Amino acid sequence: MQPFLVRLLQGTLTLLAVSLLIFLAARALPGDVANMILGQSATQEQLVSLRAQLGLDQPLWWQYLTWLGGILHGDWGTSLSNGQPVADLLALGVRNSATLSGVALAVMLPLSLLVGVIAAQFRDGLVDKVFLGMSMVANAVPDFVTGTVLVALFATTVLHVLPAVSFIPPGDSPFSYPDALVLPATTVIIPGVMYLARLVRVAVIDVMATEYIQTAELKGLSPSRVLFRHALPNAVAPIIPAASLVAAFTVGGVVVVEYLFAYPGVGSALVDAVTNRDLPVIQANVLVIASAYFIFNLIADSLAQRDEASGAQGRSKA
C-alpha cells in the first residue's frame, strides 16, 4: 500500500507541475486575448477594461493561483469565445471522448487476445510472419496516416460506405450515430491491437514452453483445454499492465484522431480553443487529458507491482 501512496503523491505533484506548464504555455500563445474578443476596431480603453474584467492585468502568479483555486472548488471558468461555462463544454467533450476510447478499448482488448493466440499457435508459420510484419508497419505509422488511409478506402470513391467526418450534433449521444464512430475507433484500434497482440503472442509461447503445460499435455488433455484452461490464464496476467498503458496512450492519442475526423471530443475542443486563443478551455482540456493519462499510468504501475510481488512470492515458495 505504501508504494501506491508514494506513486499517488508523485503523480499529484506531477499534475500540479503540469497545470503550471499548461497555464504558462497558454499565456505564451501569440496574440492578445482582448483583441481577439473585441476585434481590431476596439479602442484602447475597451481593451484595458476587458483585460481587467478577465483578470489579465493581474500578475501571472495570481492568475495561476486564482485559476487553480477555482478548479479545486469546481469552477473551471468561462469560455472567452462563447461565454459558456467551461465545465459544461468540458463535460460534453469528455463524454464523447470517453465513448470513443471506451468503444476502441472494448474491441481492442479481446481482439488482441484472439490475434495473439492465433499467431502463437502458428509460430514461425506464414500467418505468424504476416502478423509480425503488419504489426511492425502499424506501430510505425502515425495515427493521422492510418486515419487518412481509412478515409481514402472507406469514405471516398473506393467504397464510400462510411462518413469521412464524424458529425454528431451537440448534446446527442455518439451511440446514436454508430457510423460516425467506426473510422475514428478503427484508427485507434489498429495500432493498439498490433502492439498488444505481439505481447500476447510472446506470453503464450513462453507459457506453452513451461513444464507445467508440458505436464498437462502428457496427461492427455486436449490442446484446446491446455490452451484455454491452463495457458491463457497465466499468459494474460503480464499483459494487463500493458493494456492499462495502451489505454493511457489511447486517451492521449485521441487529440489527433478527433481532429482528423472532426469528432466533437476533448481533442477537437482543444484544437478549436487554441485557434480561438480561449485560455480557460485550453487549460481545462489539457489538464483533463493529463489527468486521465496519469490515472491509467497509475493503474498500470500498480498492476505491474502486484504481478512482480506475486511472481516473487511464487519463486520463494518454489
Side-chain angles (χ1 to χ4, degrees), residues 72-84:
L72 295 177
H73 288 86
D75 180 11
W76 292 78
T78 303
S79 170
L80 301 181
S81 59
N82 55 30
Q84 295 183 10

Side-chain angles (χ1 to χ4, degrees), residues 3-4 15 23 36 42-43 66 94 99 125 130 134 147 151 159 178 208 225 257 272 276 278 287 294 303 306-307 315:
F4 175 80
L15 282 179
F23 176 84
M36 296 187 69
T43 64
T66 302
V94 168
T99 301
V130 170
M134 291 176 62
V151 169
L159 291 177
M208 293 296 290
R225 184 179 177 84
V257 175
D272 292 340
N276 298 325
D278 196 338
L287 188 59
F294 157 68
L303 293 174
R306 188 189 64 179
D307 289 340
R315 288 191 296 270

Side-chain angles (χ1 to χ4, degrees), residues 247-271:
F249 290 131
T250 299
V251 171
V254 295
V255 176
V256 174
V257 175
E258 289 179 359
Y259 178 71
L260 177 63
F261 292 98
Y263 182 85
V266 173
S268 296
L270 175 60
V271 174

Side-chain angles (χ1 to χ4, degrees), residues 29 268-279 281-282 285:
L29 289 174
S268 296
L270 175 60
V271 174
D272 292 340
V274 171
T275 303
N276 298 325
R277 209 174 187 280
D278 196 338
L279 302 183
V281 177
I282 294 173
N285 281 283

Side-chain angles (χ1 to χ4, degrees), residues 58-76:
Q58 300 295 325
L60 282 179
W61 65 268
W62 179 257
Q63 294 182 43
Y64 171 71
L65 292 178
T66 302
W67 170 66
L68 185 61
I71 289 178
L72 295 177
H73 288 86
D75 180 11
W76 292 78

Side-chain angles (χ1 to χ4, degrees), residues 204-270:
V204 171
I205 290 174
D206 289 343
V207 170
M208 293 296 290
T210 60
E211 294 181 1
Y212 170 71
I213 297 299
Q214 292 173 1
T215 301
E217 292 174 340
L218 290 175
K219 289 180 179 179
L221 298 179
S222 64
S224 60
R225 184 179 177 84
V226 170
L227 176 63
F228 293 105
R229 184 70 180 272
H230 299 282
L232 272 185
N234 293 283
V236 169
I239 309 301
I240 296 177
S244 298
L245 285 177
V246 169
F249 290 131
T250 299
V251 171
V254 295
V255 176
V256 174
V257 175
E258 289 179 359
Y259 178 71
L260 177 63
F261 292 98
Y263 182 85
V266 173
S268 296
L270 175 60

